[in-house]
Amino acid sequence: MAKYRKLKIELTQEQRASLEKTVRSGVGGAMEIRRANVLLLADEAGDRKRQKDVVIASMLGITPQAVHNIKQHFLDRTAESDPVCGIKRKKRETPPVPAKCTGEVEAKIVAIACSTPPSGRGKWTLRLISERAVELEVLPSISYVQVGRILKKTGISLT
């Protein structure tokens, strides 16, 4: 069994009240409620006795490593203004895949849609716009569905 560094969790009255409210109300997600329970059981403030990670894990049906990680996460983020910031997930700063359609690309697609349609055509279609954008090397590839989203967002109608 792995040995963990003993992490001392001492909750303030405000933090403890907020965590108890989260657990009692059941409003948050299951992961938030589980993290709140871990922190409440691990609290050593005042005259409370420290529970071992193994005991907390068996009570909540999780692994001791998960208990340790939750405590470590809480200690790392307690400097933030939210009293219970350790139970919520950190917001991601960048998306996993950067967006292909930037404002410049959208502007070029709108310009294509506003121009005169190709000869032999009465109006632009989404497929024609996507093909024309690839021809002009606006993007290496773009779906006609994405073109439709861009035009909808800008309020341009092809009819």
Side-chain angles (χ1 to χ4, degrees), residues 144-155:
Y144 71 94
V145 176
Q146 182 65 31
V147 170
R149 286 188 196 126
I150 292 169
L151 295 179
K152 183 177 181 180
K153 186 167 89 171
T154 56

Side-chain angles (χ1 to χ4, degrees), residues 91-144:
K91 281 282 190 190
R92 199 174 183 146
E93 293 178 13
T94 59
V97 178
K100 283 174 48 175
C101 290
T102 60
E104 182 181 334
V105 171
E106 290 177 2
K108 289 180 180 178
I109 289 174
V110 168
I112 293 170
C114 292
S115 67
T116 57
S119 61
R121 298 288 186 150
K123 62 180 181 177
W124 284 103
T125 63
L126 296 178
R127 290 180 196 267
L128 282 173
I129 295 171
S130 65
E131 290 169 7
R132 183 72 174 151
V134 172
E135 285 174 19
L136 295 174
E137 297 178 359
V138 174
L139 286 171
S141 67
I142 186 166
S143 165
Y144 71 94

Side-chain angles (χ1 to χ4, degrees), residues 3 8 32 41 50 55 109 120 131 138 145:
K3 296 258 180 181
K8 190 170 187 172
E32 289 179 19
L41 291 170
R50 178 184 179 276
V55 174
I109 289 174
E131 290 169 7
V138 174
V145 176

